[in-house]
């Protein structure tokens, strides 16, 4: 598990023994609550208990859900830490066949991944033009992200075609993970451009910058090699990296870079 993750909640809530040993793989600073304090807060806060119940349900199916994310053409580019972070930020919700999920004209406040069932995407009726089905989302598919990414109203009505199970992720949590992964962000925006969504007016989203600082405690430990290697990898991913080398231009010149 990575920073921000919770451990031990299932044992307290279900009053069962821990199912696994938990060992630190690096130096860790953690916030600790006693079993009694955690149980007391769980019982006192309906919002917290709802989140914990959802988290336990997610973790019981963790491998299956991670496999679904890996099948998505965009989300498969997330690293393991951010894929797990995305799951931990979400909540499993159910929808019966015919249930409306998202409505055209609403602002984007959540994003969904289909876990089970089929979801229909419909153009809104206008005048004499009836609503038409323009797409179907199936297990592993992402929907609802266009309005969140572009900070614009939704353009389609979305409802369940079958009894369905969905992973619902609040917009702030989704955007936090997407903006931490420039390749995923660019792929999503490029796909939206093929759908004629008005990306040009949302330059603030496209121009967000990400800074990574690489340093070592002493010279000769390879930090410069790591920094330039990261830049080369980003360039292969169709991104445009900028390396600021505090030791000057000597390394870039030696590598034939500018």
């Amino acid at each position: 598990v990575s920073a921000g993750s919770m451990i031990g909640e299932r044992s307290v809530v279900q009053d069962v023994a821990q199912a696994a040993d938990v060992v630190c793989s690096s130096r860790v600073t953690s916030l600790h609550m006693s079993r009694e304090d955690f149980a007391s807060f769980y019982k006192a806060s309906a919002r917290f208990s709802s989140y914990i119940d959802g988290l336990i349900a997610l973790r019981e199916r963790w491998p299956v859900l991670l496999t679904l994310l890996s099948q998505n053409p965009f989300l498969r580019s997330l690293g393991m830490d951010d894929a797990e972070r995305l799951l931990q930020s979400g909540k499993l919700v159910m929808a019966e066949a015919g249930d409306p999920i998202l409505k055209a004209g609403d602002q984007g406040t959540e994003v969904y991944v289909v876990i089970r069932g089929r979801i229909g995407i419909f153009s809104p009726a206008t005048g004499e033009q009836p609503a038409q089905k323009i797409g179907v989302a199936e297990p592993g598919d992402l929907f609802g992200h266009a309005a969140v990414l572009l900070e614009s109203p939704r353009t389609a009505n979305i409802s369940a075609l079958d009894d369905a199970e969905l992973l619902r992720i609040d917009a702030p949590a989704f955007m936090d993970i997407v903006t931490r992964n420039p390749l995923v962000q660019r792929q999503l925006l490029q796909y939206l451009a093929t759908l004629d969504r008005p990306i040009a007016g949302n330059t603030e989203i496209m121009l967000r910058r990400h800074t990574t600082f690489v340093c070592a405690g002493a010279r000769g430990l390879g930090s410069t090699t790591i920094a330039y290697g990261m830049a080369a990898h980003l360039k292969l991913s169709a991104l445009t990296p900028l390396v600021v080398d505090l030791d000057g231009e000597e390394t870039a010149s030696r590598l034939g870079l500018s």
Side-chain angles (χ1 to χ4, degrees), residues 184-218:
V184 175
Q185 184 180 23
R186 178 163 297 196
Q187 288 174 331
L188 286 168
L189 290 171
Q190 287 175 339
Y191 174 71
L192 293 178
T194 68
L195 303 179
D196 295 326
R197 293 302 299 266
I199 293 176
N202 292 272
T203 54
E204 180 184 350
I205 296 173
M206 300 186 71
L207 294 178
R208 288 174 182 165
R209 295 292 184 256
H210 302 266
T211 302
T212 301
F213 183 55
V214 180
C215 64

Side-chain angles (χ1 to χ4, degrees), residues 139-180:
D141 288 342
L142 186 70
F143 70 89
H145 54 288
V148 172
L149 280 164
L150 303 179
E151 299 178 346
S152 61
R154 301 195 185 280
T155 59
N157 294 314
I158 299 179
S159 58
L161 299 177
D162 310 318
D163 291 349
E165 184 177 25
L166 311 168
L167 178 70
R168 184 180 66 205
I169 308 150
D170 289 341
F174 179 77
M175 285 305 301
D176 177 64
I177 291 169
V178 167
T179 53
R180 286 159 50 93

Side-chain angles (χ1 to χ4, degrees), residues 65-80:
L65 297 177
L66 283 174
T67 299
L68 270 178
L69 293 188
S70 71
Q71 294 171 356
N72 183 280
F74 308 113
L75 301 180
R76 69 169 59 131
S77 298
L78 294 174
M80 182 59 71

Side-chain angles (χ1 to χ4, degrees), residues 7-20 35 38-39 52 56 59-60:
I7 55 176
E9 71 289 336
R10 176 178 172 274
S11 173
V12 177
V13 171
Q14 298 182 354
D15 194 24
V16 296
Q18 294 283 3
R35 189 181 186 92
F38 185 91
I52 294 299
I56 292 171
R59 285 186 168 167
E60 287 177 346

Side-chain angles (χ1 to χ4, degrees), residues 5-73:
S5 298
M6 186 179 298
I7 55 176
E9 71 289 336
R10 176 178 172 274
S11 173
V12 177
V13 171
Q14 298 182 354
D15 194 24
V16 296
Q18 294 283 3
D21 294 330
V22 180
V23 180
C24 296
S25 58
S26 65
R27 186 173 181 179
V28 173
T29 301
S30 64
L31 175 65
H32 173 260
M33 292 182 70
S34 69
R35 189 181 186 92
E36 293 74 19
D37 288 343
F38 185 91
S40 177
F41 188 57
Y42 172 84
K43 293 176 181 178
S45 172
R47 185 174 180 180
F48 181 70
S49 61
S50 176
Y51 167 74
I52 294 299
D53 290 343
L55 179 60
I56 292 171
L58 280 169
R59 285 186 168 167
E60 287 177 346
R61 298 166 61 191
W62 213 249
V64 173
L65 297 177
L66 283 174
T67 299
L68 270 178
L69 293 188
S70 71
Q71 294 171 356
N72 183 280

